[in-house]
Amino acid sequence: MSGSLQSLSFYRCSGITDDGLEQVSAGCPNLLIVELYRCFNITDEGLENLSKGCHALKSLNLGYSVAISDRGIASVFRNCPNIGTINISYCRGLSGVGFRGYTSSLSYLEAESCMLSPDGLLDVVSGGGLEYLNLHGFRRSTELDILGRIGYAEKLRFLNLRNCRSLTDDSVIAIASGCPLIEEWNLAGCPGVDLPGWSAIGLRCNKLKILHVTRCRNICDQGLQALRDGCVGLEVLYIDRCGKIIPHDLALFSIARPNVKVRPGEIVCIGPSIEDLFRLQ
């Protein structure tokens, strides 16, 4: 192993084990970036082994590393105080409480299809520095909407809630009120957002540049009007397959807001590219 190595990828490497990460930790103490995407044999012990020797870590990709728990995440944050980017997508054994008290450096979190608890989600967002959050397909064992806790992330700029079917107006209002810096918000496929939610976005989200509402079945002409009359910084509106919106409604929107690009279709990924965050600058 090279002591000068700063970036290491075990992308889809099923052969890497906890013992292997202990060797990495001993031989590569200056690592800044580690990718363990789909490394199914890595457990909490492996994360602890890695973090004990690689204190300079800034970016960690754990997507689909399904054997890890909150204990492993807590060891990473405890030993690596500069962690700014982490991917825990599809790590459904995580509740989020492993983030508790350690997230002041965290600015970018991918947590697609995770099953965070109410306390865990609050721990994730309460560090104070989070700017990007992807909860696409957020899953809960019950239909209880806990997403209003995102409103504590006051520096948040990019929020992906695509296909969050439990999202309600109450949470949208809390987020719109608590996150005034949001620039891009993906709400595609969120059927629970109705007029109070759209009104809150129009009223509160003055920094919003890009909004995604494709497949939002409860946006109607009044909701579209609320966005039209508010969202003073809006530049792009993705809207498609919204059954209560007719072409006449979109025409009125475009007449009133000619500088806003109204686009059909659906975008999955928003904000800065995660691939760029796992490259040395």
Side-chain angles (χ1 to χ4, degrees):
M1 295 289 182
S2 171
S4 62
L5 193 66
Q6 292 185 309
S7 178
L8 186 59
S9 176
F10 291 106
Y11 195 88
R12 293 178 180 268
C13 183
S14 59
I16 186 67
T17 64
D18 293 341
D19 290 340
L21 286 186
E22 187 172 20
Q23 296 178 45
V24 168
S25 176
C28 307
N30 295 311
L31 281 172
L32 301 176
I33 300 170
V34 173
E35 293 199 70
L36 297 169
Y37 183 84
R38 288 186 182 270
C39 292
F40 302 126
N41 293 316
I42 297 302
T43 71
D44 294 336
E45 182 180 354
L47 290 185
E48 190 163 2
N49 290 341
L50 178 69
S51 64
K52 281 182 176 178
C54 300
H55 301 297
L57 272 181
K58 291 184 176 181
S59 300
L60 182 61
N61 189 343
L62 298 171
Y64 286 92
S65 295
V66 294
I68 64 172
S69 75
D70 291 292
R71 182 170 68 88
I73 292 295
S75 68
V76 170
F77 280 108
R78 183 170 57 249
N79 295 316
C80 306
N82 297 318
I83 285 284
T85 300
I86 190 165
N87 180 4
I88 57 168
S89 292
Y90 293 91
C91 296
R92 292 176 180 163
L94 299 178
S95 74
V97 297
F99 288 75
R100 182 170 298 166
Y102 298 118
T103 57
S104 60
S105 65
L106 186 65
S107 61
Y108 188 111
L109 177 64
E110 292 273 357
E112 184 173 328
S113 291
C114 284
M115 298 184 69
L116 304 180
S117 69
D119 287 343
L121 180 56
L122 187 58
D123 291 329
V124 163
V125 303
S126 60
L130 199 64
E131 296 185 17
Y132 173 100
L133 178 60
N134 178 11
L135 291 176
H136 168 203
F138 181 76
R139 299 169 65 90
R140 290 280 293 137
S141 56
T142 70
E143 290 303 311
L144 179 67
D145 177 23
I146 65 169
L147 292 170
R149 287 162 172 79
I150 296 170
Y152 288 95
E154 58 183 18
K155 293 185 179 179
L156 199 64
R157 295 169 55 212
F158 303 95
L159 178 58
N160 192 344
L161 297 181
R162 180 175 177 263
N163 289 342
C164 290
R165 303 189 65 82
S166 65
L167 181 69
T168 64
D169 285 330
D170 287 344
S171 286
V172 171
I173 293 168
I175 295 167
S177 300
C179 306
L181 303 181
I182 285 186
E183 298 177 21
E184 184 171 7
W185 194 348
N186 193 341
L187 289 166
C190 294
V193 187
D194 214 323
L195 182 56
W198 305 122
S199 297
I201 293 172
L203 181 64
R204 302 287 186 181
C205 297
N206 295 321
K207 299 287 187 181
L208 192 65
K209 296 180 181 179
I210 305 173
L211 179 63
H212 306 252
V213 304
T214 291
R215 293 188 294 112
C216 288
R217 67 186 182 207
N218 281 323
I219 185 171
C220 61
D221 57 341
Q222 290 176 297
L224 193 60
Q225 182 179 347
L227 299 177
R228 184 186 75 198
D229 294 343
C231 295
V232 294
L234 194 64
E235 297 175 2
V236 182
L237 176 67
Y238 286 94
I239 182 167
D240 199 1
R241 289 175 284 164
C242 299
K244 295 182 180 180
I245 297 295
I246 62 175
H248 178 71
D249 299 326
L250 293 177
L252 290 177
F253 183 96
S254 295
I255 291 170
R257 300 290 298 274
N259 294 326
V260 177
K261 297 176 181 177
V262 179
R263 294 178 174 170
E266 186 167 351
I267 303 298
V268 175
C269 299
I270 70 169
S273 168
I274 190 171
E275 286 81 9
D276 291 341
L277 297 176
F278 281 90
R279 294 191 183 102
L280 289 172
Q281 302 300 314

